[in-house]
């Protein structure tokens, strides 16, 4: 390769669109565009990189008029299924759709831990636990790359809040970081070898993630031996020196030119190379890593493939929604009786289901049912819309309950809604929030007076069920006055059908919470978010003092009872756990039997937890398995703990102290059913 060809591989640019109205001559006319483009080397058979967002489907942010793609449910719903096979299937589906459009890189693999329930992007991430997130992300990445499309893991690392993310310094104890967010990346990378890792916008412990030699050179490429390439986020490369810290490719280069006065890996990097500040070995390494991933995934060997089976992909979206819906509370009103008088209230349930906004928003087949502009400050404001996917819960309920009298009320006035509630046997209130990239929602309340609406309706009719379609936990001041509560997340293009099937009892809910629902923000590590609401561009620092004690680990450490715990979820049947047997030595191996004690088939997700460690409290999810059982059926489950979950990370080494390790099998992080203890010997290991 010539030096020009080498340097061309190091810069990704955006196409001309509503968001970026300037055409970049590095993109040949007629190139199918989405998020980014990197020229290839045609004379050597090195294809150009054509990049599209993201984990929830192939996006079309104004480039391909009329083009649509399968709009998957939120990643939180996928994680709530605790079903790795489903995650792999979802990766295969979006990769087939990406490939059919000529995109050979999917900017999927969002894996940041949901540390903060205000984070507007949590719907694109998976959970608060590194094992669950690592496994589910790995399966999606494997599914994507099996289809010959490069996947990514992002945003490396600790991009757990959105407020002024370009100027945020995320501070954490380095060892605790290895036991939490970095462990999620480590598990996903070792299991799936994503072709690329995308660095985050924020700083970590004082250095920008894209310029962070500890994160990229020492941990990612050194300790973990990662052989792919590190790309930046769009406009996330603050200078050419990022190349020395381990960044291999600058993406969204035009934004860098805007934010930092020049592209980082253009003339400035070239000048550094010419005067020896950028060693030739480093330039070769940058290029080799990109080429290695291209060839490892095979984007240079593409053969024609059949058109994607969109009906099959809709079925995958439906399965994720069905298995991701979490029945939080049910005092008997669900499943609905066939011939009831039902009032359906609010949430635009007559039009469709909400989706998250930002770079991961997918235009579904047939287009959105509605796009209601929400707006707001800064760049994120332009992306902030209530996107309604055309899957109406109301229509779907009417199909499934043909003998019921179902009336709709828009829920815009409690007084009106109360009249509808009084006329009904049962009331289903849909409650929504618009969440998305670039925004941390200041509190956990439902907007637009929905809390007051629910309270008024529940006071008028105690047989009220609330269906939440949100991208995060919410507070529920009305919780004790409603009969049932269902968390449906952003349920994707088949979400209305899945919700109706669960409400009508056609589908037995089996979702389990992938993140804790606090009573209120006072229970969280940061009731006040630093610099929340500060003007765009205000530098801020968040000290993630909870360290590795994220989510359920935090509630265990602080002795707090959350409103709904990690791993919680009810069923229309019942399950029991029996005969726990555990062995120790190198790690914990636990076997137990799960029995369906009810009168209908259902799926359960028994979870194995470490509940303490020698001399200290410690709560860690050690394993889980989704088990589908007929009434009366039993299944023996065996789970083997990853030793890193039993260890502490201490200055470059995982260490297991000798002694007793109590474990428990539970239906959630707090609902522990069977307990045992194993003796473990002292161990120290690197990976
Ligand atoms: C966005 C996001 C990133 C996305 C990229 C390309 O700002 O942070 O997740 O892949 O830019 O759209």
């Amino acid at each position: 390769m010539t030096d020009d060809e080498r340097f061309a591989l190091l810069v990704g640019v955006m196409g001309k669109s509503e968001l970026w109205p300037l055409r970049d001559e590095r993109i040949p006319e007629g190139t199918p565009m989405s998020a980014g483009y990197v020229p290839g080397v045609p004379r050597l058979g090195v294809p150009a990189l054509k990049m599209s967002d993201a984990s929830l489907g192939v996006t079309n942010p104004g480039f391909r008029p009329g083009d649509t793609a399968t709009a998957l449910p939120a990643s939180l719903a996928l994680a709530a299924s605790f079903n790795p096979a489903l995650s792999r299937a979802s990766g295969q589906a979006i990769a087939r759709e990406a490939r059919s459009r000529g995109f050979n890189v999917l900017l999927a693999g969002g894996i940041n831990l949901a540390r903060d329930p205000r984070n507007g992007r949590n719907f694109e991430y998976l959970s608060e636990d590194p094992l669950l997130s690592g496994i589910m992300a790995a399966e999606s990445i494997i599914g994507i790359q099996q289809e010959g499309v490069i996947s990514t893991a992002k945003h490396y690392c600790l991009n757990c809040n959105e407020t002024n993310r370009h100027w945020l310094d995320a501070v954490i104890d380095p060892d605790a970081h290895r036991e939490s967010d970095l462990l999620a990346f480590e598990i996903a990378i070792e299991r799936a070898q994503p072709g690329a890792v995308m660095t985050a916008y924020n700083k970590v412990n004082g250095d920008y993630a894209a310029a962070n030699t500890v994160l990229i050179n020492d941990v990612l490429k050194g300790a973990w031996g990662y052989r792919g390439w590190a790309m930046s986020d769009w406009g996330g490369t603050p200078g050419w020196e990022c190349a020395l810290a381990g960044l291999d490719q600058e993406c969204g280069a035009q934004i860098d030119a805007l934010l930092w006065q020049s592209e980082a890996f253009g003339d400035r990097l070239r000048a550094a190379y010419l005067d020896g500040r950028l060693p030739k070995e480093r330039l070769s390494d940058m290029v080799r890593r990109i080429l290695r991933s291209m060839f490892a995934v095979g984007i240079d060997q593409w053969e024609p493939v059949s058109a994607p089976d969109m009906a099959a992909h809709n079925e995958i979206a439906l399965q994720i929604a069905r298995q991701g819906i979490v029945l939080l509370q049910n005092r008997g009103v669900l499943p609905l009786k066939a011939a009831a008088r039902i009032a359906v209230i609010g949430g635009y349930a007559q039009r469709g289901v909400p989706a998250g906004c930002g770079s991961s928003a997918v235009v579904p087949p047939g287009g959105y049912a509605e796009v209601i502009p929400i707006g707001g400050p800064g760049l994120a404001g332009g992306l902030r819309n209530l996107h309604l996917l055309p899957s109406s819960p109301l229509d779907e309920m009417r199909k499934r309950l043909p003998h019921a009298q179902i009336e709709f009320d828009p829920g815009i006035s409690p007084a009106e809604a109360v009249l509808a509630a009084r006329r009904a046997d049962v009331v289903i209130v849909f409650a929504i929030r618009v969440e998305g990239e670039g925004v941390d929602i200041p509190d956990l309340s439902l907007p637009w007076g929905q809390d007051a609406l629910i309270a008024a309706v529940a006071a008028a009719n105690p047989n009220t069920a609330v269906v939440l379609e949100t991208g995060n936990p919410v507070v529920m001041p009305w919780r004790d006055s409603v009969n049932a509560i269902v968390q449906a997340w952003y349920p994707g293009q088949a979400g209305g059908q899945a919700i109706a099937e669960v409400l009508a009892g056609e589908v037995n809910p089996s979702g389990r919470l992938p993140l804790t629902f606090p009573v209120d923000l006072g229970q969280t590590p940061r009731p006040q978010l630093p610099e929340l609401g500060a003007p765009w561009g205000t530098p801020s620092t968040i000290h993630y003092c909870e360290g590795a004690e994220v989510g359920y680990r935090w509630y265990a450490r602080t002795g707090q009872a959350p409103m709904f715990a990690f791993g919680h979820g009810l069923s229309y049947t019942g399950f029991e756990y029996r005969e726990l047997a555990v062995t120790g030595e190198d790690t914990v191996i636990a076997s137990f039997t799960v029995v369906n004690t009810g009168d209908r088939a259902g799926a359960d997700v028994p979870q194995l937890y470490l509940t303490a460690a020698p001399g200290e409290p410690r709560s860690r999810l050690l394993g889980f398995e989704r088990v589908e059982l007929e009434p009366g059926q039993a299944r023996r489950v065996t789970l083997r703990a990853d030793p890193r979950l039993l260890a502490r990370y201490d200055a470059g080494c995982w260490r297991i102290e000798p002694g007793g390790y109590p474990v428990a099998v539970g239906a959630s992080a707090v609902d522990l059913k069977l307990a045992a203890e194993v003796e473990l010997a002292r161990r120290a290991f690197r990976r």
Side-chain angles (χ1 to χ4, degrees):
M1 294 172 77
T2 66
D3 280 352
D4 284 350
E5 291 166 340
R6 288 189 176 94
F7 277 94
L9 280 180
L10 308 184
V11 178
V13 289
M14 300 177 296
K16 180 174 182 292
S17 73
E18 297 135 38
L19 272 182
W20 195 265
L22 308 174
R23 172 164 154 60
D24 191 297
E25 77 289 347
R26 288 169 280 192
I27 304 174
E29 283 288 351
T31 301
M33 276 309 291
S34 189
Y37 178 86
V38 179
V41 186
R43 76 179 182 86
L44 297 176
V46 176
L49 294 175
K50 298 166 194 165
M51 303 176 170
S52 170
D53 284 311
S55 309
L56 308 185
V58 179
T59 63
N60 184 6
F63 291 107
R64 308 182 306 279
D67 189 19
T68 62
T70 301
L72 295 176
S75 296
L76 289 172
L78 177 62
S81 75
F82 281 74
N83 186 344
L86 196 50
S87 186
R88 182 171 300 195
S90 75
Q92 288 170 317
I94 60 175
R96 288 190 200 113
E97 294 184 27
R99 181 164 174 168
S100 70
R101 290 158 176 78
F103 299 124
N104 50 26
V105 178
L106 261 174
L107 304 166
I111 193 174
N112 296 98
L113 295 189
R115 283 181 177 266
D116 188 329
R118 290 164 290 211
N119 179 8
R121 286 195 91 169
N122 279 343
F123 77 96
E124 289 184 66
Y125 303 148
L126 290 153
S127 84
E128 65 190 27
D129 177 75
L131 178 71
L132 177 59
S133 291
I135 289 173
M136 297 301 277
E139 288 302 320
S140 168
I141 292 165
I142 291 168
I144 290 168
Q145 299 194 150
Q146 275 177 344
E147 298 299 321
V149 175
I150 291 171
S151 188
T152 50
K154 71 183 187 182
H155 305 87
Y156 187 74
C157 196
L158 217 52
N159 185 177
C160 302
N161 281 97
E162 286 295 292
T163 300
N164 277 321
R165 58 189 180 173
H166 290 261
W167 297 276
L168 165 65
D169 187 2
V171 176
I172 190 169
D173 170 82
D175 290 345
H177 197 190
R178 286 295 298 267
E179 292 180 31
S180 50
D181 296 66
L182 286 175
L183 181 57
F185 276 92
E186 184 176 10
I187 290 170
I189 288 168
E190 70 190 11
R191 284 171 175 244
Q193 292 85 40
V197 170
M198 183 193 291
T199 54
Y201 283 124
N202 51 278
K203 294 178 181 177
V204 178
N205 293 336
D207 291 323
Y208 273 109
N212 201 304
T213 189
V214 168
L215 284 183
I216 308 174
N217 285 334
D218 299 350
V219 176
L220 178 65
K221 297 179 177 179
W224 300 347
Y226 179 64
R227 299 172 58 215
W229 87 91
M231 67 165 77
S232 75
D233 203 336
W234 268 234
T237 309
W240 73 267
E241 297 83 354
C242 294
L244 302 178
L247 188 73
D248 301 303
Q249 188 180 67
E250 168 188 23
C251 286
Q254 299 104 317
I255 302 176
D256 286 321
L258 197 67
L259 281 178
W260 317 105
Q261 290 70 49
S262 113
E263 293 187 11
F265 284 7
D267 297 343
R268 290 188 177 179
L269 187 67
R270 196 69 178 267
Y273 172 65
L274 293 175
D275 67 17
R277 287 172 294 152
L278 177 72
K280 172 138 184 144
E281 299 69 40
R282 178 62 189 123
L283 173 62
S284 296
D285 177 51
M286 295 166 82
V287 171
R288 186 181 301 112
R289 285 174 174 276
I290 296 169
L291 296 175
R292 174 245 155 240
S293 289
M294 287 184 176
F295 303 143
V297 177
I299 68 168
D300 62 317
Q301 306 288 331
W302 273 15
E303 300 291 339
V305 290
S306 57
D309 180 344
M310 298 304 280
H313 295 177
N314 182 68
E315 188 62 24
I316 289 168
L318 178 60
Q319 283 305 328
I320 295 171
R322 280 171 173 167
Q323 297 185 25
I325 287 173
V326 184
L327 180 57
L328 294 174
Q329 177 180 294
N330 185 21
R331 295 177 178 144
V333 78
L334 297 180
L336 296 171
K337 306 291 177 285
R341 292 176 303 165
I342 302 169
V344 174
I345 297 176
Y348 293 98
Q350 86 282 22
R351 294 294 289 131
V353 293
C357 39
S359 60
S360 69
V362 178
V363 184
Y368 291 118
E370 296 281 357
V371 177
I372 300 162
I374 301 295
L379 185 67
L383 297 171
R384 199 163 182 212
N385 303 305
L386 172 53
H387 296 122
L388 289 172
L389 305 178
S391 176
S392 157
L394 176 64
D395 293 349
E396 294 296 337
M397 287 176 71
R398 285 178 166 152
K399 286 180 202 167
R400 280 160 183 79
L401 297 161
H403 305 301
Q405 284 174 266
I406 302 179
E407 178 189 340
F408 177 71
D409 175 277
I412 55 176
S413 144
E416 269 181 56
V418 161
L419 300 179
R422 287 191 184 130
R423 292 194 291 270
D425 303 315
V426 180
V427 184
I428 311 289
V429 185
F430 284 80
I432 63 175
R433 280 201 340 168
V434 179
E435 301 179 61
E437 183 172 349
V439 178
D440 288 325
I441 308 281
D443 68 10
L444 303 186
S445 300
L446 289 168
W448 298 316
Q450 294 176 102
D451 281 327
L453 169 71
I454 294 167
V457 164
N461 189 328
N463 290 331
T464 292
V466 176
V467 178
L468 299 168
E469 294 172 294
T470 63
N472 261 308
V474 294
V475 291
M476 304 182 197
W478 33 262
R479 179 186 160 201
D480 291 334
S481 54
V482 303
N483 186 294
I485 306 168
V486 175
Q487 173 58 265
W489 316 106
Y490 295 141
Q493 67 181 41
Q497 178 182 337
I499 291 169
E501 289 171 336
V502 167
L503 295 177
E506 278 178 36
V507 166
N508 189 354
S510 59
R512 299 291 183 270
L513 287 181
L515 76 174
T516 304
F517 275 50
V519 171
D520 56 37
L521 281 171
Q523 287 193 320
T524 67
R526 266 168 307 287
Q528 301 303 324
L529 190 63
E531 303 299 341
L532 186 67
W536 174 254
T538 304
S540 69
T541 299
I542 297 180
H543 291 271
Y544 290 100
C545 306
E546 70 278 17
E549 308 314 311
V550 184
Y552 66 89
R553 301 173 173 189
W554 167 260
Y555 291 89
R557 178 64 61 91
T558 55
Q560 298 183 96
M563 179 164 59
F564 293 109
F566 173 87
H568 170 72
L570 302 177
S571 170
Y572 293 148
T573 185
F575 298 96
E576 263 182 28
Y577 307 145
R578 298 171 185 162
E579 298 128 26
L580 172 63
V582 291
T583 58
E585 296 309 324
D586 276 356
T587 185
V588 170
I589 299 174
S591 297
F592 54 92
T593 299
V594 188
V595 186
N596 179 346
T597 55
D599 57 6
R600 63 172 290 173
D604 188 29
V605 183
Q607 302 137 48
L608 177 67
Y609 290 92
L610 176 71
T611 56
E616 63 165 277
R618 195 184 305 167
S619 174
R620 293 286 187 271
L621 176 69
L622 298 179
F624 60 86
E625 183 163 325
R626 178 185 167 84
V627 181
E628 299 191 359
L629 296 171
E630 293 300 318
Q633 191 182 3
R635 176 89 49 77
R636 190 81 178 151
V637 172
T638 297
L639 299 172
R640 178 188 179 83
D642 181 319
R644 288 169 292 194
L645 295 166
L646 299 162
R648 296 314 301 267
Y649 191 80
D650 173 21
C653 216
W654 296 95
R655 299 180 194 284
I656 294 178
E657 293 307 318
Y661 286 75
V663 298
V665 177
S668 79
V670 300
D671 185 10
L672 303 178
K673 307 285 188 185
L674 303 175
E677 182 161 319
V678 295
E679 286 297 313
L680 293 179
R682 180 187 303 279
R683 271 188 76 189
F685 52 96
R686 291 257 169 232
R687 281 198 63 151

